[in-house]
């Protein structure tokens, strides 16, 4: 590998290393040369010389080459690479936890085809953010790009492993779906990794017993060009095909996975989107009840600051302690470990489980929902409505060149009628009389894209809409 000029090498890494992962456009900041250096830096930072490192990848065209480049850097620094090949991100977390080994997953999640990236884990699927090792990995990789990678005295090896059946079996051991009523579900994999994992976990591809589920597949073909729609179910346009199919097939519900299949979105029998906060509340109740039955009394459940108010209310009503956190998977994994929380939920449909090494797993959340829904006869629209008492805007993205100026406009407009919180981005909470409907909103910059994200909640639709429109005008002015 020919060393790059110092300023160029550092600039490339600075551009692609984000708050809690690596993300960039293939061939611009993200090159095989940079990835090989990151592989070497990762081994140094996590102390994997002489030990194992798990490397997996999604179905993007660039992912196999990047995984191989990372393995070269890792083995040069003396780590033995366990290459698990095509996998979902939560499957890579499973391998990291199951093997108690650090891991690197090549994916750009929901981003378009031109992007790729890396999600890192320490041994046991523990997260790595900029503040807990990612900056050091970046800096070590920068040294290697400038000076070349120094080979370890004993280079590592590469072996392959298929962990899909073990992953599927483990999830089946956590949630028993064998006794639920028969359900027809439509699953939109978005040409992402759900096309591999859904047949294994919910079907019989992993040679597990058949479940009382009829799965209608949409876009299960693995294709990193995303020929049907972007694998980002957070955008309403990407749910349209699933919503239509659920109604056409008379299905009980629909599931949509993002590109790396670690997030799962839900559609009810009428084609209506079920808010991820409602899913978080339902799963929280199940996990609280499960550990209480096992004898636990001091139970914590995590939610990020953008989830609906119904989530902490549900947790408290169940006798557990809600723990509010910032947004971001590595940050929440850290809080899961610190607090011993049994479960954690994010507005973006990331769901974290203590029994899954504190990591997020959209498939496991879907299984909990199927177990809860399949144990009673009410339609999902009715079940979800119980956990959606307030009006939410959903996440609204705006391209903003000057974020501080946008914040200033918002603070000036709401001073005197709201309280402000900068725990994560800017949260503005309406100061209202008891007879007035409550409202709050949060604006925060994306860690991976040049966007400002807005989330609004109000006691009713008219309140939420009024606040939403006022804030959007301020952001976009």
């Amino acid at each position: 590998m020919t060393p790059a000029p110092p300023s160029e090498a550092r600039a490339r890494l600075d551009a692609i290393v984000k708050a809690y992962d690596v993300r960039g456009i293939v061939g611009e900041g993200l090159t095989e040369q940079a990835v090989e250096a990151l592989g070497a830096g990762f081994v140094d930072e996590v102390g994997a010389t002489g030990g194992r490192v798990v490397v997996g990848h999604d179905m993007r065209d660039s992912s196999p080459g990047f995984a191989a480049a990372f393995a070269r850097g890792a083995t040069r620094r003396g780590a033995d690479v366990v290459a698990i090949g095509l996998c979902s991100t939560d499957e890579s977390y499973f391998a990291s936890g199951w093997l108690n080994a650090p891991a690197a997953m090549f994916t750009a999640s929901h981003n378009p085809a031109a992007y790729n990236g890396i999600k890192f884990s320490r041994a046991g699927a523990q997260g790595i953010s900029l503040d807990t090792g990612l900056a050091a990995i970046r800096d070590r990789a920068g040294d290697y790009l400038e000076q070349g990678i120094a080979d370890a005295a004993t280079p590592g090896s590469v072996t392959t492993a298929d962990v899909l059946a073990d992953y599927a079996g483990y999830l089946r051991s956590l949630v028993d779906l064998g006794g639920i009523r028969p359900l027809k579900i439509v699953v939109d994999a978005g040409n992402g990794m759900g096309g591999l994992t859904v047949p294994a976990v919910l079907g019989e591809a992993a040679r597990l017993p058949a479940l009382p589920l009829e799965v209608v597949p949409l876009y299960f073909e693995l294709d990193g060009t995303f020929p049907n729609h972007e694998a980002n179910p957070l955008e309403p346009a990407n749910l349209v095909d699933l919503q239509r199919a659920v109604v056409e097939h008379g299905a009980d519900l629909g599931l949509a996975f993002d590109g790396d299949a670690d997030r799962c979105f839900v559609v009810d029998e009428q084609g209506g989107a079920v808010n991820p906060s409602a899913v978080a509340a339902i799963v929280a109740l199940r996990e609280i009840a499960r550990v209480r039955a096992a004898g636990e009394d001091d139970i914590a459940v995590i939610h990020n600051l953008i989830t609906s108010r119904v989530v902490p209310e549900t947790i408290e009503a169940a006798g557990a302690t809600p723990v509010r956190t910032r947004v971001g998977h590595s940050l929440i994994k850290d809080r899961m470990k610190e607090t011993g929380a049994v479960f954690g939920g994010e507005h973006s449909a990331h769901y974290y489980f203590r029994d899954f090494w504190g990591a997020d797993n959209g498939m496991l959340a879907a299984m909990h929902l199927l177990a809860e829904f399949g144990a009673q006869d009410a339609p999902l629209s009715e079940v979800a409505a119980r956990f959606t008492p307030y009006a939410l805007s959903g996440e609204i993205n705006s391209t903003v060149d000057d974020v501080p100026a946008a914040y200033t406009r918002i603070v000036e407009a709401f001073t005197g009628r709201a309280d402000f919180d900068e725990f994560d981005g800017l949260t503005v909470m309406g100061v209202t009389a008891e007879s007035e409907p409550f409202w709050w909103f949060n604006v925060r910059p994306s860690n991976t894209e040049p966007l400002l994200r807005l989330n609004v909640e109000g006691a009713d639709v008219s309140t939420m809409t009024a606040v939403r429109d006022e804030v959007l005008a301020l952001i976009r002015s």
Side-chain angles (χ1 to χ4, degrees):
M1 185 173 71
T2 303
S7 58
E8 180 185 342
R10 299 288 180 182
R12 281 203 302 263
L13 289 173
D14 287 344
I16 63 175
V17 177
K18 311 297 182 179
Y20 39 81
D21 61 10
V22 172
R23 196 74 58 91
I25 295 177
V26 175
E28 292 186 10
L30 195 61
T31 64
E32 291 192 6
Q33 183 183 38
V35 167
E36 184 175 346
L38 285 164
F42 178 68
V43 167
D44 292 350
E45 173 60 21
V46 301
T49 299
R52 294 183 294 183
V53 170
V54 173
V55 179
H57 64 81
D58 69 9
M59 67 294 134
R60 292 168 188 265
D61 291 345
S62 60
S63 290
F66 281 146
F70 190 91
R72 287 196 298 273
T75 55
R76 290 186 65 181
R77 294 300 300 150
D80 292 325
V81 170
V82 180
I84 62 173
L86 280 166
C87 63
S88 64
T89 290
D90 49 310
E91 191 182 340
S92 78
Y93 295 151
F94 166 77
S96 177
W98 188 48
L99 299 173
N100 195 31
M105 171 67 187
F106 283 85
T107 182
S109 185
H110 63 280
N111 287 147
Y115 286 80
N116 213 325
I118 316 171
K119 293 183 178 180
F120 293 112
S121 303
R122 294 186 184 274
Q126 296 302 303
I128 300 179
S129 65
L130 206 59
D131 297 331
T132 60
L134 188 51
I137 294 168
R138 176 198 63 202
D139 294 343
R140 292 174 186 272
D143 292 340
Y144 286 135
L145 283 170
E146 291 176 3
Q147 303 163 18
I149 297 175
D151 293 325
T154 304
S157 62
V158 179
T159 58
T160 60
D162 184 351
V163 302
L164 181 60
D166 294 301
Y167 159 80
Y170 184 70
L171 296 194
R172 289 274 195 103
S173 76
L174 297 179
V175 181
D176 181 10
L177 294 174
I180 64 173
R181 63 186 170 95
L183 297 174
K184 178 188 285 190
I185 62 175
V186 181
V187 180
D188 184 346
N191 298 111
M193 292 312 305
L196 179 71
T197 57
V198 170
V201 178
L202 301 183
E204 299 176 66
R207 298 184 179 180
L208 295 172
L211 296 172
L213 299 172
E214 179 187 348
V215 177
V216 179
L218 279 184
Y219 314 138
F220 272 37
E221 304 78 17
L222 303 184
D223 189 338
T225 67
F226 306 113
N228 296 289
H229 60 71
E230 288 188 359
N232 181 13
L234 193 60
E235 292 294 333
N238 297 324
L239 286 177
V240 170
D241 290 354
L242 175 64
Q243 292 168 314
R244 183 186 301 116
V246 166
V247 175
E248 288 178 351
H249 288 276
D252 295 290
L253 70 142
L255 303 175
F257 290 90
D258 66 346
D260 59 337
D262 62 346
R263 290 189 296 161
C264 183
F265 293 74
V266 182
V267 167
D268 67 28
E269 81 288 351
Q270 299 174 358
V274 177
N275 192 279
S277 288
V279 176
I282 291 168
V283 179
L285 285 178
R286 286 180 54 84
E287 287 290 74
I288 291 167
R290 180 180 64 83
V291 298
R292 177 167 288 124
E296 290 189 36
D297 294 319
D298 187 11
I299 305 167
V301 177
I302 282 175
H303 67 99
N304 75 19
L305 81 167
I306 302 177
T307 56
S308 168
R309 180 169 167 172
V310 75
V311 178
E313 288 177 347
T314 300
I315 295 166
E316 287 181 337
T321 303
V323 179
R324 180 172 176 258
T325 73
R326 292 187 291 157
V327 175
H329 67 88
S330 293
L331 305 173
I332 293 180
K333 286 178 190 174
D334 291 343
R335 290 294 285 156
M336 290 286 290
K337 183 177 181 181
E338 291 167 10
T339 62
V342 68
F343 173 68
E346 286 200 273
H347 73 295
S348 56
H350 282 287
Y351 305 104
Y352 304 77
F353 296 85
R354 187 172 68 192
D355 282 355
F356 197 70
W357 300 278
D360 48 313
N361 190 321
M363 182 74 74
L364 189 51
M367 294 172 71
H368 273 283
L369 182 70
L370 291 171
E372 185 68 22
F373 174 58
Q376 45 80 63
D377 295 326
L380 183 58
S381 57
E382 181 180 316
V383 175
R386 301 173 198 156
F387 296 92
T388 316
Y390 311 124
L392 294 98
S393 66
E395 192 158 87
I396 304 169
N397 294 321
S398 303
T399 301
V400 176
D401 294 327
D402 191 342
V403 171
Y407 279 12
T408 298
R409 291 193 295 272
I410 292 168
V411 171
E412 289 176 350
F414 284 91
T415 294
R417 55 190 174 117
D419 292 326
F420 302 95
D421 175 353
E422 295 188 65
F423 178 57
D424 189 0
L426 178 66
T427 301
V428 182
M429 296 157 287
V431 178
T432 58
E434 286 188 15
S435 60
E436 297 176 326
F438 84 89
W439 56 267
W440 65 269
F441 66 88
N442 173 273
V443 289
R444 53 182 290 276
S446 167
N447 285 303
T448 57
E449 301 168 87
L451 302 172
L452 193 60
R453 307 193 190 280
L454 169 67
N455 286 268
V456 186
E457 183 171 36
D460 51 59
V461 173
S462 61
T463 300
M464 182 278 291
T465 301
V467 175
R468 179 199 66 195
D469 292 349
E470 181 179 0
V471 180
L472 278 177
L474 293 166
I475 289 173
R476 295 172 178 176
S477 63

